[in-house]
Amino acid sequence: MDSYDTPESTPRHSASSKLKDYFIGATPLQKRLESVRKQTSFIPTPPRRKIPQCSQLQEDNDPQKVAFLLNKQWTLYSLTPLYKFSYTNLKEYSRLLSAFIAAEKQKGLAVEVGEDFNIKVTFSTLLGMKGTQRDPEAFLVQILSKSQLPSENREHKVLWTGWFCCIFGDSLLETVSEDFTCVPLFLANGAETNTAIVGTWFQKTFDCYFSPLAINAFNLSWMAAMWTACKMDQYMAATEFLWSVPCSPQSLDISYAIHPEDAKALWDSVHKTPGEVTQEEVDLFMDCLYSHFHRHFKIHLSATRLVRVSTSVASAHTDGKIKILCHKYLIGVLAYLTELAIFQID
Amino acid sequence: MSVLRPLDKQPGLNTATILLVGTEDALLQQLADSMLKEDCASELKVHLARSLPLPSNVNRPRIDLIVFVVNLHSKYSLRNVEESLRHVDATFFLGKVGFLATGAGRESHCSIHRNTVVRLAHTYRSPLLFCDLEVRIAWAQGKGSQSTMGVSRTLLRGSSSA
């Protein structure tokens, strides 16, 4: 029951790359229909990805303006396209969302001790947070608390931050009509109750759907390789991996930390094609780490589950938590996360 | 190095022997148990092995079907299967080998991409089944999960042609 045509070449040139060549020029929707008809499974993982570079658009934006996005832990969600969302109505939306949050809190659904109900919601666009010109503008939602005391500077304390973005989301943008705004990646920082309330409002208002974005071990090892490949002037943190060993009664965790320059040296010895990362390079990079560990500790890390990767560029946890440390590669990190979010939506 | 050949021994009278190869001992045991519970036209024997080559000092019947079990959560199991495939004669792949990829239900735990296993099965011209042997359904009677029984039924249907 052979449904592929076999190329007379090594298994590296697999069916998926042949499918890719065949479908250049077709929209993703057409590709999917074609593959369903042919009864092949269209697995959209490219065998190679670009190493994150500083994008042109990012250089235009002010590092200070996006500095608050760095060094914070964000919880990731994937979001289906928003129906009839308009960037001109942001003030209207902030008013509606404030009213909704106040109503929800008074219902007693999310009551916190000692909290005043004077909250303000702001919607603002984040300029420069996009991969290509086609990507929709990223926007930010913040819940601020208005202080009761009549102080002079009236500092608003930020209670919760969430932002929506789309970086290189071409594959999704092509499949939706104009009424929809595609911002598939949602990042939230703050209390879980607030995330739930904001999520409910968005789902009711724009007929979209949030789902938590988990990052599996396969994607974490890709992230480790891509972030180690990034050229850094100065390394702020060691490269650290955390594995979870499945055993009873309680799972064990194995933590492996490497000096970032050693990790980069290992990557450079593995890396062949300039500017691109391939599946073989990622596998080889991880295998080197596994075999080194095995030589010393006689434990096969490849039989365990990679749970957390932490480098000087960013750190990611399998539960869908990310912390970006480096401004230079912000867009690159977000591009990969957008890809994962789009994959989850599909 | 001893290589498994499909026709080097006499077939047993009205018996079928299946060899399960994989690193996940508990899962293999579970799968073997549920296979033995199924109704089979001939007498069924199931052998388990962590990897190939098999020790040559043991007297064993002719093997009719080899199932390589890959756990999608563990790269180690994939490497193990790839190593073991070298010890199987090419003629075995004419319908007497199958691949089973377990752990497919929980995408968030996967460290191997499905495409890798698909490519492997395609290279060896053998069928591939995706399943999740660890999923337990609360109301399944007796030992073993519903999905394990379903998988074992599919494998037995395949092996009955051997």
Side-chain angles (χ1 to χ4, degrees):
Chain A
M1 210 205 59
D2 241 3
S3 48
Y4 319 100
D5 299 324
T6 342
E8 290 296 307
S9 52
T10 62
R12 266 182 65 171
H13 299 283
S14 66
S16 71
S17 60
K18 196 160 186 273
L19 277 173
K20 240 174 51 173
D21 292 340
Y22 175 68
F23 290 136
I24 282 174
T27 64
L29 194 57
Q30 282 177 323
K31 287 178 208 170
R32 246 174 280 147
L33 289 173
E34 201 48 51
S35 63
V36 165
R37 237 181 287 141
K38 273 187 159 194
Q39 290 184 341
T40 53
S41 54
F42 183 67
I43 301 153
T45 217
R48 49 196 67 222
R49 284 196 180 93
K50 288 209 162 52
I51 296 177
Q53 305 287 346
C54 237
S55 81
Q56 194 57 41
L57 290 160
Q58 196 190 338
E59 280 162 10
D60 299 337
N61 86 50
D62 192 5
Q64 251 113 41
K65 287 210 188 106
V66 293
F68 71 97
L69 298 174
L70 303 175
N71 296 310
K72 257 205 191 85
Q73 177 153 295
W74 300 100
T75 310
L76 299 169
Y77 294 85
S78 69
L79 178 59
T80 59
L82 304 172
Y83 183 62
K84 291 223 159 66
F85 176 86
S86 162
Y87 287 94
T88 52
N89 287 352
L90 294 182
K91 274 215 172 350
E92 179 72 20
Y93 297 146
S94 37
R95 232 180 19 89
L96 291 170
L97 184 53
S98 311
F100 184 79
I101 293 176
E104 285 290 320
K105 296 222 173 198
Q106 279 173 8
K107 260 196 239 174
L109 285 175
V111 179
E112 275 146 42
V113 176
E115 195 200 29
D116 57 350
F117 288 166
N118 283 341
I119 45 161
K120 193 170 99 137
V121 174
T122 55
F123 275 63
S124 51
T125 47
L126 286 169
L127 296 169
M129 300 294 292
K130 41 157 86 169
T132 61
Q133 287 295 353
R134 272 191 74 180
D135 289 331
E137 289 287 349
F139 63 96
L140 174 73
V141 179
Q142 277 185 313
I143 300 179
L144 310 157
S145 71
K146 277 192 275 196
S147 62
Q148 297 269 16
L149 310 163
S151 57
E152 278 167 18
N153 39 6
R154 278 217 158 226
E155 284 270 326
H156 295 297
K157 193 174 121 198
V158 176
L159 296 174
W160 181 91
T161 316
W163 53 295
F164 301 74
C165 66
C166 177
I167 317 277
F168 294 111
D170 290 329
S171 58
L172 187 62
L173 292 168
E174 281 165 18
T175 58
V176 299
S177 67
E178 280 176 21
D179 289 333
F180 288 92
T181 310
C182 292
V183 274
L185 188 62
F186 174 56
L187 301 95
N189 172 279
E192 187 58 42
T193 49
N194 288 330
T195 311
I197 294 174
V198 173
T200 316
W201 183 80
F202 266 89
Q203 285 178 172
K204 285 209 309 216
T205 318
F206 301 110
D207 196 23
C208 58
Y209 185 69
F210 285 85
S211 55
L213 184 65
I215 310 172
N216 62 22
F218 177 75
N219 290 317
L220 282 175
S221 50
W222 263 93
M223 286 183 186
M226 289 201 295
W227 298 342
T228 310
C230 293
K231 240 193 294 260
M232 298 276 287
D233 305 320
Q234 190 193 23
Y235 289 101
M236 291 177 284
T239 304
E240 211 183 296
F241 297 85
L242 186 69
W243 282 274
S244 163
V245 184
C247 62
S248 58
Q250 254 186 330
S251 63
L252 290 174
D253 285 334
I254 298 178
S255 163
Y256 184 359
I258 321 168
H259 194 276
E261 276 162 29
D262 291 339
K264 183 79 168 71
L266 174 62
W267 173 255
D268 288 336
S269 67
V270 165
H271 186 52
K272 303 257 167 11
T273 32
E276 275 186 339
V277 179
T278 61
Q279 180 68 58
E280 288 87 12
E281 287 169 5
V282 174
D283 286 340
L284 193 51
F285 179 67
M286 296 305 289
D287 283 341
C288 290
L289 297 174
Y290 293 153
S291 57
H292 180 80
F293 197 84
H294 178 70
R295 202 182 318 135
H296 289 274
F297 299 102
K298 296 286 178 280
I299 295 178
H300 287 283
L301 283 175
S302 48
T304 62
R305 181 167 76 105
L306 182 57
V307 155
R308 189 165 182 269
V309 167
S310 177
T311 63
S312 300
V313 171
S315 80
H317 189 278
T318 193
D319 290 340
K321 304 220 182 336
I322 186 123
K323 194 191 247 188
I324 307 173
L325 304 167
C326 177
H327 168 259
K328 204 167 146 200
Y329 296 107
L330 179 60
I331 295 288
V333 172
L334 293 172
Y336 190 34
L337 294 173
T338 310
E339 196 183 322
L340 293 182
I342 293 175
F343 186 59
Q344 192 173 336
I345 297 171
D346 281 345
Chain B
M1 278 277 142
S2 63
V3 168
L4 275 180
R5 289 177 215 283
L7 301 169
D8 60 350
K9 291 194 180 142
Q10 297 282 350
L13 190 63
N14 208 31
T15 50
T17 311
I18 299 181
L19 175 66
L20 300 178
V21 180
T23 51
E24 310 286 321
D25 303 325
L27 294 180
L28 290 191
Q29 189 65 54
Q30 207 180 305
L31 182 60
D33 288 340
S34 59
M35 280 166 92
L36 290 169
K37 285 205 191 93
E38 290 287 320
D39 283 328
C40 187
S42 35
E43 189 195 316
L44 181 67
K45 290 200 173 110
V46 182
H47 286 245
L48 304 177
R50 284 211 100 212
S51 65
L52 299 175
L54 299 174
S56 49
N57 51 356
V58 177
N59 190 16
R60 72 175 69 80
R62 184 177 87 162
I63 293 171
D64 299 309
L65 176 71
I66 307 179
V67 182
F68 289 99
V69 180
V70 176
N71 187 355
L72 289 176
H73 303 182
S74 153
K75 265 197 208 164
Y76 178 61
S77 68
L78 180 66
R79 293 274 176 269
N80 180 60
V81 162
E82 284 171 353
E83 287 294 323
S84 306
L85 280 166
R86 292 205 206 127
H87 300 280
V88 180
D89 187 55
T91 48
F92 235 118
F93 295 100
L94 298 171
K96 288 178 184 269
V97 171
F99 291 91
L100 194 64
T102 177
R106 283 164 300 158
E107 184 62 40
S108 57
H109 287 228
C110 288
S111 21
I112 307 173
H113 199 276
R114 287 187 184 205
N115 210 13
T116 314
V117 192
V118 167
R119 224 178 294 155
L120 180 69
H122 180 57
T123 314
Y124 286 96
R125 303 289 192 281
S126 298
L128 168 65
L129 291 177
F130 284 102
C131 66
D132 201 329
L133 293 172
E134 290 174 89
V135 170
R136 290 196 172 276
I137 300 174
W139 45 268
Q141 282 147 359
K143 293 192 205 121
S145 66
Q146 270 301 34
S147 64
T148 320
M149 287 183 335
V151 167
S152 53
R153 231 171 273 141
T154 322
L155 285 172
L156 282 171
R157 242 175 257 134
S159 71
S160 62
S161 60

